[in-house]
Amino acid sequence: MMAGKTLYLGPRLKKLRRELGLTQANMASDLDISASYIALMERNQRPVTAEMLLKLATTYRIDVASLADEDADETAARLAGALKDPIFADIAIEPLDIEDIATSYPGMAEALLRLHTAFGEEQLALAERREESANGGEQGPSDPVAEARAFLAARRNCFPELDDSASALAPKLDSFAAMGDHLLENHQLDLRLTDDGILRGASRWHDYHRRRVYISERIDQAGRRFQAALQIAILEQEAPIAQIVSESRIMGEDGKRLVRRALQSYWAAALLMPYRKFAKAAAEMRYDVEALCSRFAVSFEQVAHRLTTLQRPGEEGVPFFFLRVDRAGNVSKRLDGAGFPFARHGGGCPLWNVHTVFDNPGQIDAQLIALPDGERFVSIARTVRGGGGAYGAPSVRRAVAIACSAAHLDRLVYGEGLGEPAPIGVACRLCHRPKCIARSAPPMGRDIVPARFRESGVPFDFSME
């Protein structure tokens, strides 16, 4: 705490008093001041002087630093981010006011943050439902996938409390063997690699009765470490994850289960790629996905997924959107951290490199894309394989893409030599480019032009009037 600085510690002083089981009169007697003065300090109507801090420290044998709100800076950063929402655009709030609210009124700050998060979650869920309705779908408010996506998107897929707990364990659990030792020491579970005969196609199995955790020897080293980390998350992070889920607006049990699974995987990834260490490496390596794979001994998909989570207030990285699709265009995972329109419309444009990388399996492709409204994004895509690991074992090849605004081009290793942007549409029904040979449907609001005298060479001729 800085000398000479006026300190208002009302909420923290009240918290300390209650933790000690004291009334205002009790504390006043201990400190040789009036009960009314205690009340004034707790209401932030009087500052806590240096002399009073010393009295508190000596009387109750506490470290003065313990009165400091270690989360105040993070709360202020979160609050500043929330107040950038367009709904607050006409309200002038100074940075010093935000810091004061976070420091002096932490409960009110947390209440506002929860309300803003719930508002964002509801807006995103509503957008998902409208999109399903517009596409003729029958999925409604109880759609668990839409609920889970809205939950993650409203929080920008960032959970600092899980990052912190994972980072605390990361130095100790830096290898598969270390994770095995941890499971044995803390949970009396024997971690073993085994063949498919026992697992019958599964990647991991917690054999409760034999006190063993089996992991398939057919998956690669990155997959083995992730599965071991995931088992630790399931065993040790139930309470914090349950607390996060309880603060959501998700009504259905299936939606809650999907979110719990997502948060368990989030923690496992955070153990393999601790937030600050990973964010620093990503910035230094200019977000080179392959280089990050080598540094942290993880897979392309794991790095791509982790890059979408670097939105901790005050420590943000480049905001990325993530999409995983199969050859048929089915979306199996979607995370939006970049305001990318495909987050709402699914990414059905065949000109986007997430679809063309199937022609060159395993090779990274970087593409500068331009949307019809002029927005530009950088897309980094590559195929990944799931399953396999033995002759004849079933496997599936999918494509993973991460994309960010072209405004971040100078921060990316992929920004060199991209050339002119490729014209991409978010969906044929919403794209009004007239000469697209890949078009599968005419745009909404345009009449089809009869081709009686001229064949244009494009699937649909439509009026631009």
Side-chain angles (χ1 to χ4, degrees):
M1 295 184 180
M2 295 176 58
K5 182 178 179 181
T6 301
L7 296 175
Y8 290 90
L9 305 176
R12 277 161 278 166
L13 183 61
K14 181 185 291 186
K15 180 181 178 183
L16 172 65
R17 177 174 60 77
R18 289 177 173 174
E19 286 175 349
L20 294 170
L22 301 174
T23 64
Q24 289 181 342
N26 295 149
M27 180 172 274
S29 177
D30 291 342
L31 300 175
D32 196 23
I33 57 176
S34 67
S36 61
Y37 193 77
I38 294 289
L40 290 171
M41 286 193 295
E42 288 187 353
R43 292 200 298 268
N44 278 337
Q45 293 176 345
R46 290 290 186 276
V48 178
T49 64
E51 181 184 358
M52 185 58 63
L53 277 176
L54 186 59
K55 274 190 176 183
L56 286 165
T58 55
T59 302
Y60 300 116
R61 297 181 182 180
I62 60 171
D63 183 355
V64 171
S66 68
L67 284 173
D69 187 355
E70 296 177 353
D71 298 325
D73 290 342
E74 182 171 320
T75 299
R78 291 170 59 206
L79 198 56
L83 292 172
K84 290 178 182 177
D85 193 297
I87 197 172
F88 303 122
D90 61 334
I91 304 175
I93 303 178
E94 297 298 325
L96 286 177
D97 293 336
I98 295 173
E99 292 180 13
D100 188 40
I101 292 169
T103 302
S104 301
Y105 305 100
M108 185 61 70
E110 184 62 29
L112 177 59
L113 287 168
R114 288 187 188 180
L115 187 62
H116 180 261
T117 300
F119 169 76
E121 189 177 339
E122 183 63 27
Q123 292 297 104
L124 288 161
L126 181 60
E128 289 269 4
R129 295 197 292 269
R130 284 175 175 168
E131 182 64 23
E132 292 292 344
S133 177
N135 290 334
E138 296 182 357
Q139 294 174 321
S142 61
D143 174 21
V145 175
E147 285 185 319
R149 284 176 179 167
F151 173 88
L152 296 172
R155 291 154 181 80
R156 304 188 74 185
N157 194 30
C158 184
F159 301 90
E161 58 270 59
L162 298 183
D163 281 312
D164 289 343
S165 64
S167 294
L169 279 174
K172 177 185 174 183
L173 306 182
D174 58 353
S175 68
F176 184 79
M179 294 182 202
D181 292 341
H182 180 85
L183 285 168
L184 187 60
E185 180 181 347
N186 293 276
H187 303 283
Q188 294 73 55
L189 290 172
D190 185 15
L191 181 64
R192 296 188 179 189
L193 291 173
T194 190
D195 61 24
D196 196 55
I198 292 177
L199 292 173
R200 292 180 290 183
S203 298
R204 174 179 47 82
W205 175 36
H206 177 185
D207 186 339
Y208 182 83
H209 296 290
R210 291 186 177 89
R211 308 299 298 168
R212 293 172 184 169
V213 175
Y214 294 108
I215 292 180
S216 174
E217 62 184 13
R218 295 186 179 184
I219 61 179
D220 59 20
Q221 292 294 334
R224 294 175 186 180
R225 292 175 66 229
F226 181 82
Q227 288 299 328
L230 185 57
Q231 184 64 62
I232 295 171
I234 292 169
L235 293 170
E236 300 182 4
Q237 298 302 309
E238 182 177 357
I241 287 175
Q243 178 61 35
I244 295 171
V245 175
S246 71
E247 296 170 358
S248 76
R249 297 169 62 85
I250 297 175
M251 301 299 292
E253 283 303 313
D254 284 345
K256 291 179 180 178
R257 290 189 186 100
L258 289 177
V259 169
R260 278 194 289 269
R261 286 175 56 184
L263 295 179
Q264 289 163 353
S265 295
Y266 182 103
W267 190 92
L271 184 70
L272 303 182
M273 296 167 277
Y275 190 96
R276 290 185 175 89
K277 185 177 179 181
F278 183 79
K280 181 181 179 182
E284 290 174 349
M285 295 177 171
R286 299 183 65 200
Y287 296 88
D288 187 326
V289 179
E290 286 181 301
L292 288 167
C293 289
S294 299
R295 170 73 65 87
F296 292 90
V298 291
S299 70
F300 180 91
E301 183 172 348
Q302 287 169 350
V303 168
H305 195 291
R306 185 62 169 148
L307 286 173
T308 69
T309 71
L310 301 183
Q311 295 304 304
R312 185 171 188 147
E315 302 177 59
E316 296 93 338
V318 170
F320 281 101
F321 164 82
F322 175 101
L323 189 77
R324 187 179 69 190
V325 300
D326 62 19
R327 277 186 175 272
N330 299 307
V331 177
S332 54
K333 188 178 288 185
R334 187 170 69 199
L335 297 164
D336 185 27
F340 199 36
F342 284 101
R344 297 186 302 275
H345 301 294
C349 183
L351 302 179
W352 185 17
N353 65 351
V354 72
H355 301 293
T356 61
V357 290
F358 285 104
D359 296 334
N360 298 290
Q363 295 184 24
I364 291 181
D365 180 74
Q367 181 186 44
L368 183 62
I369 57 179
L371 301 181
D373 63 2
E375 280 192 284
R376 295 186 176 190
F377 291 84
V378 183
S379 174
I380 301 105
R382 203 200 83 171
T383 58
V384 297
R385 193 180 75 152
Y391 180 74
S395 66
V396 61
R397 195 178 298 279
R398 300 186 180 96
V400 165
I402 54 173
C404 69
S405 169
H408 302 292
L409 202 58
D410 61 334
R411 301 172 65 182
L412 308 181
V413 70
Y414 306 100
E416 302 169 3
L418 284 181
E420 291 299 311
I424 299 296
V426 294
C428 287
R429 296 288 287 168
L430 301 175
C431 178
H432 291 262
R433 288 194 174 100
K435 301 300 181 183
C436 180
I437 197 170
R439 180 179 290 282
S440 62
M444 292 185 293
R446 295 287 182 262
D447 295 327
I448 301 297
V449 175
R452 289 181 295 175
F453 303 107
R454 180 174 177 271
E455 176 58 54
S456 65
V458 295
F460 297 95
D461 277 330
F462 54 87
S463 170
M464 295 301 293
E465 297 297 325

